[in-house]
Structure formats: structure tokens, C-alpha cells
């Protein structure tokens, strides 16, 4: 049984042609009591600009504060530490 997944994109809109700079895949994790972030990636040239932080905060608000995430990389661990400082 496959669960439904949602894909969210963050777009750069300050250029003549808008283009996606970040991708996030989430799914409802009833057993964990929230929405689980399965995948988050920001294109290399747009990293360290706060895009992932902004996207995660927006998704958490959309999910009513029930966004569940964990770091899979060193950069992911840094992001989580930042999110915990901003919105514990």
C-alpha cells in the first residue's frame, strides 16, 4: 500500500523567468502524529540563503505545527538546529 505524497517547490521569482530552487516531499505519518518530511533539496547555487528554512517554516504552518523532520546530512542537522532555535 503506497501512501500519498505531496511535493512542494520553492520558486525564484525575481528573474525574468521563474524557476524552482528547492523541492520538498512530505507524507502523512499517522503513526508519528504529523506530516513527515521525506526529502528536502535546495539547488546548489541557492544554498545558504535561508530558502530551506523559509520553506520548512511555511510547511510547518500549513501542517498546523505538526511537521516532523530529521537530518540525513550535516547540512540537514544544521537546518534542524536553526529551526529549533527559531520555532521550538
Amino acid at each position: 500500500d503506497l501512501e500519498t505524497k505531496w511535493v512542494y517547490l520553492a520558486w525564484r521569482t525575481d528573474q525574468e523567468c521563474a524557476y524552482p530552487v528547492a523541492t520538498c516531499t512530505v507524507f502523512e505519518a499517522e503513526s508519528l502524529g504529523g506530516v513527515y518530511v521525506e526529502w528536502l533539496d535546495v539547488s546548489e547555487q541557492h544554498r545558504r540563503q535561508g530558502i530551506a528554512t523559509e520553506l520548512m517554516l511555511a510547511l510547518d504552518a500549513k501542517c498546523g505545527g505538526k511537521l516532523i523532520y530529521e537530518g540525513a546530512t550535516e547540512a540537514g542537522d544544521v537546518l534542524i538546529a536553526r529551526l529549533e532555535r527559531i520555532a521550538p
Side-chain angles (χ1 to χ4, degrees):
D1 185 35
L2 297 175
E3 69 258 344
T4 300
K5 297 182 181 184
W6 297 278
V7 177
Y8 293 91
L9 300 173
W11 291 80
R12 178 117 188 216
T13 60
D14 61 345
Q15 304 293 312
E16 186 174 322
C17 181
Y19 58 93
V21 296
T23 305
C24 184
T25 305
V26 301
F27 62 89
E28 184 76 38
E30 291 180 19
S31 63
L32 299 174
V35 177
Y36 186 81
V37 176
E38 178 181 58
W39 177 260
L40 173 62
D41 182 59
V42 177
S43 61
E44 192 169 333
Q45 65 269 31
H46 294 96
R47 293 181 183 162
R48 307 284 186 255
Q49 297 178 26
I51 295 168
T53 302
E54 186 177 339
L55 181 56
M56 293 288 280
L57 291 172
L59 286 173
D60 191 50
K62 181 176 178 59
C63 297
K66 295 185 177 184
L67 196 64
I68 302 166
Y69 43 81
E70 57 188 313
T73 64
E74 185 176 325
D77 291 338
V78 170
L79 172 62
I80 289 170
R82 183 179 310 118
L83 290 169
E84 289 174 348
R85 283 194 308 273
I86 294 171

